[in-house]
Amino acid sequence: MSRRLAPIGLVAMMAAALSGCGSFGAIGLGPMERSAKPVESDTLPPVASAPVTRNTLPPPPMDPNAQTPAPMDQGTLPGATPLGSAATAPPPVSTASGGEIGRTDLLGGWTLQSGGESCQLFMTLTSWTGGYRASTRGCQSPTLKSISAWSLSGSQVVLAGANGVSVASLNSTGKTQFNGQTTSGAAVSFYR
């Protein structure tokens, strides 16, 4: 009699285990149950819209906290509008080397040197007290650390502190080199 109870117990356990499988059919997921009624759609009817056009975006502004990229040619990315082409930009200024320089030529990262110290200078076209926003990174001297603005006056670049007061004045010796003095008389230069 014990032999007969074992198969019955096994069958009962399997029936209990398989009874949960029937729930798929109850909610319409089973292979045996197919719905004959059409599926209703919650989508909206199409709406007329303006045609899509393709425009090239200008390059993003330089992040003052980003690493300075390797020096590149003065060109721009293919298809991009050069930064200096804005109608509101002032006419470029002639440099000592005969080339012209404008505000957009100064944007981005530069190597700043003064008194044997070398650090980074970043310039943007964000309006700021004393001209446009500038920042430094890795500078040890309080004078260089205080630079927070820049302006272009003729062929001269003036670096200013947080209060807009001049910290250094530099003259262009080309589009990639500027030399001058801090207000305390120390030699200063920035280049790329």
Side-chain angles (χ1 to χ4, degrees):
M1 186 118 185
S2 64
R3 278 188 169 184
R4 220 163 189 193
L5 288 179
I8 292 176
L10 181 60
V11 170
M13 287 185 354
M14 288 181 65
L18 293 175
S19 68
C21 295
S23 64
F24 284 100
I27 60 171
L29 296 177
M32 301 299 279
E33 187 174 319
R34 301 268 186 227
S35 175
K37 67 179 184 178
V39 177
E40 293 181 25
S41 175
D42 290 337
T43 60
L44 297 174
V47 177
S49 64
V52 176
T53 60
R54 180 178 177 177
N55 291 327
T56 305
L57 295 175
M62 290 285 297
D63 180 3
N65 297 320
Q67 293 293 325
T68 303
M72 293 176 51
D73 187 28
Q74 200 59 17
T76 60
L77 296 174
T81 304
L83 289 175
S85 67
T88 59
V93 179
S94 293
T95 64
S97 62
E100 294 181 344
I101 189 154
R103 292 181 304 184
T104 57
D105 294 319
L106 298 171
L107 299 180
W110 297 82
T111 299
L112 178 64
Q113 287 187 330
S114 180
E117 177 181 2
S118 180
C119 54
Q120 294 176 322
L121 169 67
F122 299 94
M123 293 191 267
T124 69
L125 281 179
T126 303
S127 294
W128 206 258
T129 302
Y132 299 101
R133 180 76 171 114
S135 61
T136 59
R137 182 175 20 178
C139 298
Q140 300 301 314
S141 102
T143 301
L144 299 182
K145 279 183 175 180
S146 72
I147 295 171
S148 65
W150 68 276
S151 62
L152 179 63
S153 176
S155 63
Q156 184 179 53
V157 175
V158 176
L159 300 176
N163 54 6
V165 174
S166 175
V167 172
S169 296
L170 303 97
N171 289 307
S172 170
T173 56
K175 286 188 176 185
T176 60
Q177 176 77 40
F178 294 82
N179 298 310
Q181 290 185 333
T182 64
T183 52
S184 62
V188 65
S189 66
F190 65 86
Y191 58 90
R192 25 176 163 214

